[in-house]
Amino acid sequence: MSIEIRNIGKRFGDFVALDDINLNIPTGELVALLGPSGCGKTTLLRIIAGMESADSGQVLFAGEDATHLHARDRNVGFVFQHYALFRHMSVFENVAFGLRVKPRALRPTEADIRRRVNELLQLVQLDWLSDRYPSQLSGGQRQRIALARALAVEPRVLLLDEPFGALDTKVRKELRRWLRRLHDDMHISSVFVTHDQEEALEVADRVVVMNHGKIEQIGSPDAVYTNPASPFVYQFLGNVNVFHSRVHGTWADIGRASAGEAPGGEAMAFVRPHDIEIERFPVIGSLEATVQEVHAVGPVVRIELAHASELIEAELSRERATVLALVRGQQVWLKPRQLRVFATPEAVLEEGGSGI
Amino acid sequence: MMSAPALRRANTEPRWLRSLLLGLGLGFLFFFLALPLLAVFVEALAAGWPAYRDALSDGETRSAILLTVFVALFVLPFNVVVGVAAAWAIAKFDFRGKSLLITLIDLPFAVSPVVVGLVFLLIFGAQGLFGGWLAAHDVKVVFALPGIVIVTMFITFPFVARELIPLMQAQGKDEEEAAISLGATGWQMFRRVTLPNIRWGLLYGVILANARAMGEFGAVSVVSGHIRGETNTLPLHVEILYNEYNAVGAFASASVLALLALVTLVAKAVVEWHMRRETRMLAAELPPEKAGVVP
Amino acid sequence: MFVTAAYRRQVLPGFGLSLGCTLVYLSLLILLPLSGLAFKASNLTLGEFWAIASGERAMASYRVTFGASVLAATINAVFGLIVAWVLVRYSFPGKRAIDALVDLPFALPTAVAGITLATLYAGNGWIGKHLEPWGIKVAFTPVGIVVALTFIGLPFVVRTLQPVIEDIEPEVEEAAASLGASRLQTFTRVLLPGIFPALLTGFTLAFSRSIGEYGSVIFIAGNMPLISEITPLLIISKLEQYDVIGATALAVVMLLISFVLLLSVNALQWWAANRHSGHGGRGAGRGA
């Protein structure tokens, strides 16, 4: 079922959590809401679920206005960040809960409930745990039970709040792929919230990057990574070097010229470390720099360089690094393979910490 | 660097000091708590078992026990309902003036029992605000059962709410929200999710409130009128017998209350054990970085 | 956290009902009756009020009540700290039972405590008969009041301190020891500052309970006007002489003191919770 969000706004006191949000999620799509903490992504998810009411705007499910529909009537499956399993119920009863609280006329028979719960537990591959209590499960198991519980009521939409946030790296990677397969099998629309760009890029069909209560960019994982729409997105998704026209006149001016803009005003150029080419001799439009550190990290070699007392990071393949044979203190020339230029706004990116 | 055993030694008091502290602490508890408790029973049985039995089978003692039990049973349901309501509003919602409300709930603990009794005397007594109206309609509040019930309600009000507020705050509202999003009605959510989660805390509050309700002396003393066989609760009965130099009778009644106290202590310890276990369960359910915050 | 009044719709049900229920009950049972006291007292002019509240017998009763309460709370602070330390740090047989026994003063009706302590400390009582030869009279003197109030106040100090002592991380003491601190230095410089707010809170709780205590005191106090008469008893005796106005004036004094103490306890607890957390009151609460 499709979800449509129109002009949603929400404040908490003086704090603007969401500012005029518009978003369309077509049926069957898996969408990630990505952003730093405090960007409003969880608030948006809770508004879709009906857990929070918006100050303004509308939420539409399959084209029908659901803005004033109560959470219990929205038929959404919500998976909480810390799972929120009912600690006094067994795994079985947790999953059965949504079926047992249905109005008498709609409630399945005990046998049907049993069958349905067992099916779901098999689906999440935890049918052998049905008599356990939540406190006896590992984090990954709780996560899957929380999913099974949400799916029991056959929701039209599945919403997940930081679904893998509390898990360790290995379990997180497994569950990601599993969630992707599950989503594809169930044919429902899913939205999940995350602050982990790798997670969003790997799992989602579409990524919605948010910051300060606004949507910065909506696009496929590839599009938001390779073609960021704003300085924030550039910095949030992956490592990036920033060159200010004031300091590194050359590149920003080159970028501006190549973008067909007239020079003038402050500008910033963004270059990803793996888009920097290192040469041993000067070439046109290159910056002179000194090698500071060389670290071999797995398949890549990271090189820290200094240009006019500013640090620049570059990433080379092992082969290229071998050819260059860089050593500390060496003089080199840098050339960007790809760069983006943005006019420098006021107080730019003061907190858009570079994602890992 | 010191070795681990050396550190451990540095971490505990020297043997002589440990013995001294242990002796002082336990000696203090013995003289101030254990000895009085023992004395109640020794004094009650000072004139032998038959005298004790006779003292307890006395009609006025019987009616005092019945009155005390009745008052407690009448008051506790109010404590439970309002205590849960107050804790629900305070723990699960944000609103202005919340900390003021929490302070107001604690108020009955701060006010002297004698002042509490006086307050209701001023309202319902012969010269009180409603005294004339009540007399005209032949309704007795002060120096009658209703007065005793009302002051007991006042005195015991905070117990349940105080116990539940921190418990429900620690549990958060995720589970209730999950229940609602799965289609539960408010009542289904409360009965199936909230109530099981708070049952031990609720019981704990009820045990404490019950002990206070049955044992209250000062406030009840002001409004009861001490009418034997009618408005005499067990603690008041103890006072009357003691002032009549009927030591055996006074201590026999006192021993019933002391037994109540012992039952209370045991029940409290059992419930505390369950609550600690559930706190551990709660801690186990949270991810490690959050688990440390749970008290 | 954040404060907001925008509650157009709550997901969790029952906010209005539960808050309304609480406010009505609280107002009818507690706030209105207490303001009735102020209403009654307003029949007095300030001069009349002052004359009663500062009468000779009243002043003497404040001295007795406050003096005994401060003494009892101090004894409890010292021994309560020892008891709490022993219960948390040392292991000995019967510890669980002794720990449970600490709550006896909460559970034992005050009248029972009163007659028992009076009997124990009377000249022929178990304890009194050993003190009498030394010229120490406890029962029916102000000392008896201190004994009764010590009994009543003990759990407040112990129960406030126990969780705080439990929370002390052993690493802190190990660090102090490894830096060369003696055990005494570790206690006074590292542990005590951490415990102190709780100790003060426990002291204030015990003190505030003692001020209003009636049942356990009257049996052992002797109740001699000007010497061993506590303020709550003076209120009762004024009532028995049908001096309702006099009783009301004293009750207002007691009530004001209760308010002040209640607010101090709240302030102390707030201080204990916040003193090392800085002022990082970040504006917004719920973010994503």
Side-chain angles (χ1 to χ4, degrees):
Chain A
M1 187 190 58
S2 68
I3 306 168
E4 194 181 343
I5 290 150
R6 282 188 197 159
N7 309 101
I8 286 284
K10 175 78 179 172
R11 318 169 134 260
F12 295 107
D14 294 335
F15 177 72
V16 181
L18 292 173
D19 183 12
D20 196 25
I21 298 287
N22 287 286
L23 180 63
N24 266 312
I25 300 167
T27 310
E29 204 168 74
L30 178 54
V31 172
L33 300 179
L34 173 68
S37 71
C39 74
K41 56 193 192 293
T42 295
T43 307
L44 181 57
L45 193 77
R46 288 173 62 87
I47 286 175
I48 298 174
M51 304 275 181
E52 206 89 63
S53 56
D55 297 337
S56 55
Q58 282 179 300
V59 177
L60 285 81
F61 285 171
E64 279 174 42
D65 188 358
T67 316
H68 300 289
L69 209 56
H70 193 275
R72 81 167 64 89
D73 303 319
R74 289 199 185 192
N75 198 9
V76 298
F78 196 94
V79 178
F80 288 76
Q81 185 176 5
H82 300 302
Y83 322 127
L85 293 178
F86 305 128
R87 76 194 74 172
H88 285 286
M89 295 179 202
S90 65
V91 163
F92 183 93
E93 286 303 321
N94 260 283
V95 179
F97 183 88
L99 302 172
R100 291 202 195 283
V101 297
K102 277 184 190 290
R104 202 173 293 275
L106 302 174
R107 198 182 303 160
T109 62
E110 185 61 33
D112 282 344
I113 291 177
R114 235 154 236 296
R115 196 170 39 75
R116 178 100 187 97
V117 171
N118 284 328
E119 271 171 25
L120 281 161
L121 288 176
Q122 271 160 21
L123 179 73
V124 299
Q125 298 153 14
L126 290 176
D127 42 334
W128 51 287
L129 288 176
S130 69
D131 294 330
R132 299 269 185 94
Y133 281 84
S135 60
Q136 298 166 309
L137 307 181
S138 72
Q141 290 168 341
R142 283 177 204 169
Q143 175 63 273
R144 285 188 275 166
I145 296 302
L147 251 166
R149 182 178 71 176
L151 293 173
V153 290
E154 292 173 355
R156 304 184 289 179
V157 178
L158 187 60
L159 305 173
L160 307 99
D161 186 6
E162 296 275 1
F164 315 111
L167 303 170
D168 56 49
T169 325
K170 191 165 171 289
V171 181
R172 197 185 304 183
K173 287 197 166 169
E174 271 173 36
L175 273 177
R176 256 187 228 166
R177 281 179 216 121
W178 178 79
L179 175 71
R180 179 71 236 187
R181 281 201 306 274
L182 193 74
H183 168 85
D184 293 338
D185 294 345
M186 306 285 297
H187 307 293
I188 52 176
S189 309
S190 307
V191 182
F192 75 101
V193 155
T194 181
H195 63 270
D196 181 345
Q197 41 120 353
E198 194 187 317
E199 198 167 286
L201 298 181
E202 186 181 320
V203 181
D205 296 320
R206 262 201 314 162
V207 179
V208 178
V209 186
M210 295 180 67
N211 189 32
H212 289 312
K214 289 189 169 143
I215 292 179
E216 294 271 339
Q217 188 173 4
I218 304 175
S220 70
D222 190 47
V224 292
Y225 184 79
T226 54
N227 219 349
S230 68
F232 171 80
V233 179
Y234 233 121
Q235 294 217 324
F236 195 73
L237 292 173
N239 274 349
V240 71
N241 292 298
V242 185
F243 299 89
H244 297 270
S245 64
R246 192 166 18 92
V247 189
H248 317 277
T250 2
W251 280 11
D253 292 338
I254 290 169
R256 214 168 356 204
S258 69
E261 290 174 33
E266 294 273 304
M268 303 182 304
F270 288 78
V271 186
R272 299 235 185 255
H274 55 76
D275 284 335
I276 290 183
E277 232 166 313
I278 300 181
E279 300 291 347
R280 302 178 71 149
F281 305 100
V283 287
I284 297 166
S286 64
L287 275 184
E288 194 180 334
T290 324
V291 175
Q292 301 277 309
E293 300 281 347
V294 180
H295 303 288
V297 185
V300 297
V301 177
R302 286 206 185 116
I303 296 147
E304 285 175 21
L305 304 127
H307 165 80
S309 82
E310 298 241 338
L311 202 71
I312 299 167
E313 227 182 277
E315 236 174 61
L316 302 179
S317 68
R318 267 180 184 277
E319 294 74 25
R320 178 73 184 145
T322 319
V323 172
L324 285 169
L326 297 171
V327 291
R328 213 179 282 178
Q330 189 177 347
Q331 196 83 343
V332 292
W333 283 265
L334 312 179
K335 197 171 189 293
R337 219 172 280 133
Q338 193 192 356
L339 91 171
R340 270 305 281 275
V341 175
F342 296 96
T344 310
E346 291 293 312
V348 73
L349 296 169
E350 69 211 357
E351 53 195 302
S354 60
I356 301 110
Chain B
M1 271 306 286
M2 271 191 253
S3 65
L7 270 179
R8 204 162 301 131
R9 231 174 299 130
N11 232 343
T12 52
E13 290 74 40
R15 187 180 292 269
W16 66 269
L17 185 56
R18 291 175 63 160
S19 313
L20 180 68
L21 289 178
L22 209 56
L24 278 175
L26 296 186
F28 185 79
L29 292 183
F30 175 76
F31 277 105
F32 272 89
L33 301 183
L35 210 55
L37 186 60
L38 184 68
V40 175
F41 295 101
V42 172
E43 292 288 336
L45 295 167
W49 182 253
Y52 179 75
R53 215 178 37 209
D54 289 349
L56 283 187
S57 52
D58 172 68
E60 282 167 4
T61 308
R62 283 283 165 88
S63 77
I65 294 175
L66 283 180
L67 178 64
T68 301
V69 170
F70 173 82
V71 170
L73 287 182
F74 188 89
V75 167
L76 289 178
F78 285 89
N79 278 314
V80 168
V81 171
V82 182
V84 171
W88 178 258
I90 288 170
K92 308 281 178 179
F93 299 92
D94 283 296
F95 53 92
R96 260 180 241 280
K98 186 148 107 173
S99 50
L100 177 68
L101 183 59
I102 296 176
T103 307
L104 286 179
I105 287 175
D106 271 352
L107 196 56
F109 280 167
V111 181
S112 171
V114 170
V115 175
V116 175
L118 175 68
V119 160
F120 287 98
L121 206 59
L122 290 180
I123 294 172
F124 298 115
Q127 305 163 25
L129 287 176
F130 303 129
W133 187 88
L134 289 171
H137 291 77
D138 202 25
V139 180
K140 285 198 75 168
V141 174
V142 160
F143 307 137
L145 184 60
I148 299 175
V149 167
I150 291 173
V151 294
T152 309
M153 277 178 162
F154 183 107
I155 293 282
T156 55
F157 171 62
F159 285 101
V160 172
R162 255 174 91 94
E163 214 45 63
L164 290 184
I165 290 168
L167 177 67
M168 285 165 80
Q169 276 174 338
Q171 288 174 346
K173 48 186 187 180
D174 278 6
E175 286 181 50
E176 278 87 1
E177 285 181 349
I180 293 289
S181 82
L182 289 167
T185 62
W187 174 244
Q188 284 171 325
M189 170 211 72
F190 180 74
R191 196 170 55 81
R192 288 166 178 263
V193 177
T194 309
L195 208 53
N197 280 353
I198 63 170
R199 59 192 166 174
W200 291 112
L202 186 58
L203 185 59
Y204 192 82
V206 168
I207 289 169
L208 295 183
N210 178 62
R212 188 70 197 266
M214 290 190 167
E216 179 50 31
F217 178 75
V220 173
S221 163
V222 176
V223 297
S224 111
H226 302 85
I227 307 164
R228 288 189 169 204
E230 279 183 41
T231 61
N232 227 10
T233 62
L234 199 51
L236 298 181
H237 192 58
V238 168
E239 182 201 18
I240 290 182
L241 295 174
Y242 184 79
N243 287 342
E244 287 171 348
Y245 300 101
N246 179 356
V248 168
F251 277 101
S253 291
S255 74
V256 175
L257 290 168
L259 272 179
L260 166 75
L262 283 178
V263 171
T264 301
L265 291 184
V266 171
K268 209 166 146 298
V270 171
V271 173
E272 272 167 2
W273 181 81
H274 279 285
M275 280 166 49
R276 265 201 301 276
R277 210 179 52 133
E278 303 220 326
T279 308
R280 277 202 301 275
M281 269 169 62
L282 177 66
E285 268 172 49
L286 293 175
E289 75 269 21
K290 232 186 143 183
V293 183
V294 176
Chain C
M1 295 315 290
F2 62 91
V3 178
T4 166
Y7 289 99
R8 302 193 309 162
R9 195 192 61 206
Q10 298 279 358
V11 178
L12 296 187
F15 176 61
L17 183 69
S18 60
L19 188 63
C21 198
T22 308
L23 290 179
V24 168
Y25 192 84
L26 196 70
S27 308
L28 285 182
L29 187 70
I30 291 162
L31 301 181
L32 282 179
L34 286 181
S35 44
L37 188 70
F39 179 73
K40 186 79 178 177
S42 66
N43 291 346
L44 290 166
T45 66
L46 211 58
E48 287 169 328
F49 177 81
W50 184 248
I52 299 169
S54 67
E56 194 197 3
R57 220 171 135 185
M59 291 305 277
S61 82
Y62 302 149
R63 270 195 297 277
V64 173
T65 310
F66 277 79
S69 298
V70 167
L71 267 176
T74 309
I75 294 172
N76 275 327
V78 173
F79 282 92
L81 177 58
I82 295 175
V83 169
W85 186 266
V86 163
L87 284 176
V88 173
R89 288 297 177 98
Y90 302 161
S91 54
F92 47 89
K95 181 166 150 174
R96 293 272 299 269
I98 290 168
D99 189 60
L101 188 69
V102 168
D103 283 324
L104 182 71
F106 285 158
L108 192 71
T110 52
V112 177
I115 65 167
T116 313
L117 291 173
T119 307
L120 279 178
Y121 286 91
N124 57 353
W126 292 357
I127 300 176
K129 72 179 170 206
H130 297 292
L131 297 175
E132 203 96 315
W134 302 81
I136 304 170
K137 279 187 188 286
V138 175
F140 319 122
T141 70
V143 184
I145 302 178
V146 177
V147 169
L149 296 181
T150 306
F151 174 85
I152 289 299
L154 176 68
F156 289 97
V157 178
V158 178
R159 292 303 185 223
T160 313
L161 281 174
Q162 260 178 323
V164 179
I165 297 178
E166 272 166 16
D167 276 353
I168 299 173
E169 291 165 27
E171 286 86 354
V172 174
E173 287 162 79
E174 285 169 4
S178 74
L179 291 167
S182 73
R183 188 64 193 151
L184 183 67
Q185 284 172 321
T186 303
F187 183 78
T188 54
R189 287 165 179 252
V190 179
L191 300 181
L192 201 56
I195 298 173
F196 188 70
L199 191 61
L200 205 57
T201 307
F203 176 90
T204 315
L205 285 171
F207 178 74
S208 106
R209 172 72 202 264
S210 296
I211 295 288
E213 180 54 24
Y214 173 70
S216 60
V217 174
I218 55 164
F219 296 99
I220 198 175
N223 307 327
M224 302 265 294
L226 305 179
I227 297 169
S228 59
E229 184 179 57
I230 54 168
T231 312
L233 181 69
L234 185 56
I235 294 177
I236 297 267
S237 49
K238 283 198 187 284
L239 271 181
E240 281 170 356
Q241 294 154 16
Y242 300 103
D243 179 8
V244 175
I245 283 294
T248 305
L250 290 180
V252 168
V253 173
M254 300 264 323
L255 197 60
L256 290 178
I257 295 167
S258 306
F259 282 144
V260 171
L261 286 171
L262 183 65
L263 293 178
S264 332
V265 169
N266 278 352
L268 273 173
Q269 279 166 344
W270 184 88
W271 175 59
N274 290 286
R275 63 183 179 142
H276 292 314
S277 63
H279 298 284
R282 288 193 300 153
R286 160 151 293 138

